[in-house]
Amino acid sequence: MTLMLSADRARVRAGRTPDILRELADMVEGVIVRHPLTVSMTPEDYEAVRASLRGRPLIVDLSLSYSVDPAELGRLSTWVTVSSEAFVSGWDEVVSPLASAGYSVLVSVPRFFDPSRMGELRRALSARAPWGVIVPWPLRERALRELRGLTKIIVDLSGLGSAPLGQALCEGADYETINGVVLNSDDPVEALKVLIYRQRRALELCSSPPG
């Protein structure tokens, strides 16, 4: 599986988001829980989604820029994102305690990230080897050019009106992540099935020899 699902709202059209995530978890490679959903989900919600994922990542996206007690995060998940700024400049205060405690760390690159700092991020990734890096769609080409081979690259399609599913994978990304287009639908399961088909079809087309 090469599709991840992210969510940030406590309720959507079809009901409670944690309940829907539990239904969808078996169809995706991982789930990213973003603010403010991170604080509205109960420990029981986290446990239920984690069980449905069957060992695949349940990622708590805190995009941390401050110290956090790893024991507090441990009740939610052992996968966590930190901001690219914290990863590059706040390693000792923010990231090192999480990595030392056994957390799988991902780096979240914001949409306003200055592309001229990609080399700085590359050096940090090379030295510290996180599990993955999440990059927004507009930065994907530069990120794939400069960061590929250092860690898993996850391209965030959130916020795109018509998500070009599969294109980032054809260009070399490891995963794509989406959110509202599934969770805002009347039937999230069917909506996700359609997107998985679109992604697979795009991959088939780009991997087929011309002619």
Side-chain angles (χ1 to χ4, degrees), residues 60-77 79-83 86 90-101 103:
V60 181
D61 180 17
L62 301 179
S63 297
L64 306 175
S65 58
Y66 49 83
S67 293
V68 172
D69 180 3
E72 177 65 17
L73 282 175
R75 69 190 182 93
L76 309 179
S77 179
W79 303 77
V80 63
T81 64
V82 298
S83 69
W91 175 264
D92 291 339
E93 300 82 5
V94 178
V95 189
S96 182
L98 295 169
S100 298
Y103 286 82

